[in-house]
Amino acid sequence: MMKLRFFALAALFVAIMPLKLAAQDFATSRHYWEDGKLTWDDYLSERPQNNDAPVCLTLSYGARKENVKKGSTTYSYVRYYSYVDRYESWAADSARTDELLLYHQTLFDISELYCRKATREYNTMSFTGDGDELFAFYYRQRAKHIDELNQ
């Protein structure tokens, strides 16, 4: 009986350990806006062989339900957020300039701004639409803003 319990615990440990390591890897792969300004240390990927670009910033987006407690009441809301995928972003040494890093930070700031606009609108009492459509609208607004920045 004791051997059976030991093997069951060992099997459980072996089954859980990869999940724990994957969760740790997932946590370190993302740089959220709240984590502070970007640094060149956030560009962890190697440039793919078939890509000549000297730099790549990979911005991604998500949504999650969050709870806020005010007094004795807990409020739930949806929060849209942006993050940099650190393992999908790269920069050649020759591209690592202060100006380019500031430009990428600006893109990240603009992305977060539109996520916050979507969050605010989604969580208003008058919003009755589709969350995916709302986010798509703000994503297009963000792209337009970035296009204007690049002109």
Side-chain angles (χ1 to χ4, degrees):
M1 187 68 166
M2 192 69 149
K3 272 186 172 179
L4 184 58
R5 186 177 295 163
F6 171 78
F7 285 117
L9 286 173
L12 182 62
F13 176 77
V14 169
I16 290 176
M17 195 59 179
L19 296 175
K20 183 177 182 193
L21 292 173
Q24 288 173 342
D25 190 49
F26 177 78
T28 61
S29 72
R30 294 181 171 193
H31 179 104
Y32 295 97
W33 193 85
E34 297 82 17
D35 294 336
K37 291 187 176 188
L38 294 175
T39 69
W40 288 119
D41 293 336
D42 291 313
Y43 297 71
L44 297 176
S45 181
E46 294 290 326
R47 181 173 66 190
Q49 294 285 338
N50 60 351
N51 193 318
D52 293 332
V55 64
C56 174
L57 173 70
T58 302
L59 289 168
S60 296
Y61 306 91
R64 67 176 164 250
K65 183 179 172 187
E66 294 186 353
N67 297 316
V68 174
K69 188 168 183 164
K70 291 187 180 182
S72 61
T73 305
T74 301
Y75 299 93
S76 295
Y77 68 99
V78 171
R79 180 175 178 271
Y80 294 100
Y81 57 91
S82 62
Y83 63 92
V84 171
D85 188 328
R86 299 174 78 217
Y87 291 122
E88 293 294 325
S89 299
W90 72 82
D93 290 339
S94 62
R96 293 176 182 237
T97 65
D98 292 342
E99 293 81 14
L100 186 57
L101 188 60
L102 178 60
Y103 175 72
H104 283 185
Q105 182 65 50
T106 302
L107 297 178
F108 193 23
D109 292 347
I110 291 169
S111 296
E112 182 66 19
L113 170 70
Y114 283 96
C115 284
R116 290 179 184 205
K117 286 182 176 201
T119 295
R120 185 180 60 235
E121 185 169 337
Y122 184 87
N123 291 295
T124 62
M125 298 300 267
S126 60
F127 180 76
T128 59
D130 180 273
D132 291 340
E133 289 177 18
L134 176 72
F135 184 77
F137 168 77
Y138 279 107
Y139 184 84
R140 288 189 302 275
Q141 293 298 311
R142 170 206 150 282
K144 191 179 190 184
H145 190 144
I146 290 171
D147 286 345
E148 290 170 3
L149 175 72
N150 288 329
Q151 291 179 3

